Amino acid sequence: RKEVEQDPGPFNVPEGATVAFNCTYSNSASQSFFWYRQDCRKEPKLLMSVYSSGNEDGRFTAQLNRASQYISLLIRDSKLSDSATYLCVVNVYNFNKFYFGSGTKLNVKP
Amino acid sequence: EPEVTQTPSHQVTQMGQEVILRCVPISNHLYFYWYRQILGQKVEFLVSFYNNEISEKSEIFDDQFSVERPDGSNFTLKIRSTKLEDSAMYFCASSEVSGTDGGYPEAFFGQGTRLTVV
């Protein structure tokens, strides 16, 4: 079973739309959770950490559900510049590595 | 803003040759990582390094791979005898010891070295 699973998409949405991605993780000992974005042929860039109580950063809201072992990312008022692949990343406590999902591709169209 | 830097940005090498990929992590970070991403595939963990030794490594990181921190700033990945299937984007990353939420902190990635083995 994969450590982190994501719907690969693509999600094709118009500008201004609200879009949500989910991610599930398999290891209940997972400790830290993140969303990264990756543009084509570029490095992953941290979008936001995901805290237990959920957190918001501008148009982006991240939620964590430990009981169901999933993480979500909500993007409101989508911009063309939001087009990218969104990577769900999980770090298991005491293991010095980050597990990456395969990413969800978002295309925001005018 | 501090960043992880990697050199070279692109390396072409012949099969069987040795390559060294170089990284300068963020200066106050203590955990260092190498990841790779084969074109069209997901980001895969190779190795993590802390306190001058390997902390964790994946099954990909076999005897052909080695890492080193030769001085206070550089962190290198060596592939001893490259194979065609080593062609990928290699990302270096670094993170602090502890994060703001009590868990492990975020990892920051360099721009990558595109390795092409011919």
Side-chain angles (χ1 to χ4, degrees):
Chain A
R1 187 180 170 186
K2 293 180 185 175
E3 292 284 348
V4 182
E5 298 210 49
Q6 295 182 250
D7 179 346
F11 284 61
N12 298 307
V13 302
E15 267 186 295
T18 294
V19 62
F21 309 135
N22 287 332
C23 159
T24 57
Y25 59 94
S26 60
N27 192 330
S28 59
S30 298
Q31 187 79 0
S32 301
F33 311 90
F34 311 92
W35 283 102
Y36 283 75
R37 72 170 274 168
Q38 186 175 31
D39 294 291
C40 189
R41 297 182 178 245
K42 299 284 189 181
E43 78 274 23
K45 287 192 174 173
L46 179 68
L47 182 65
M48 58 197 303
S49 301
V50 186
Y51 300 130
S52 302
S53 53
N55 47 303
E56 189 175 303
D57 183 1
R59 298 181 293 109
F60 300 86
T61 300
Q63 296 281 347
L64 168 63
N65 185 320
R66 285 189 186 269
S68 301
Q69 294 182 202
Y70 81 77
I71 308 145
S72 64
L73 177 68
L74 182 79
I75 306 176
R76 288 181 298 278
D77 188 23
S78 303
K79 312 287 184 198
L80 295 176
S81 56
D82 293 335
S83 296
T85 297
Y86 289 82
L87 306 172
C88 177
V89 180
V90 170
N91 188 309
V92 179
Y93 185 66
N94 264 349
F95 290 94
N96 301 314
K97 62 181 174 183
F98 296 80
Y99 292 95
F100 279 76
S102 53
T104 298
K105 189 167 173 57
L106 172 66
N107 295 317
V108 181
K109 302 191 181 296
Chain B
E1 185 178 318
E3 58 181 18
V4 177
T5 56
Q6 290 184 245
T7 54
S9 56
H10 192 186
Q11 172 102 38
V12 181
T13 189
Q14 289 208 320
M15 195 167 56
Q17 294 297 304
E18 174 183 287
V19 294
I20 298 176
L21 310 184
R22 301 179 194 280
C23 169
V24 179
I26 294 173
S27 61
N28 64 332
H29 285 184
L30 296 178
Y31 279 99
F32 314 119
Y33 312 85
W34 283 101
Y35 283 80
R36 79 171 187 192
Q37 188 174 32
I38 295 168
L39 189 62
Q41 296 186 25
K42 69 183 223 178
V43 177
E44 299 176 292
F45 170 77
L46 292 178
V47 65
S48 60
F49 192 86
Y50 172 70
N51 202 25
N52 284 320
E53 60 183 23
I54 290 174
S55 182
E56 183 101 19
K57 61 182 180 179
S58 72
E59 58 276 6
I60 302 169
F61 194 88
D62 61 22
D63 292 343
Q64 293 298 313
F65 291 86
S66 62
V67 289
E68 200 176 31
R69 188 153 163 82
D71 53 44
S73 59
N74 289 286
F75 179 51
T76 62
L77 174 70
K78 183 193 290 186
I79 309 175
R80 256 178 279 281
S81 176
T82 50
K83 303 188 277 287
L84 294 177
E85 53 266 37
D86 293 328
S87 295
M89 188 76 129
Y90 287 80
F91 294 110
C92 173
S94 68
S95 64
E96 293 176 321
V97 175
S98 60
T100 55
D101 195 37
Y104 276 71
E106 306 94 346
F108 293 89
F109 285 76
Q111 291 155 310
T113 293
R114 181 167 299 284
L115 176 66
T116 303
V117 183
V118 297

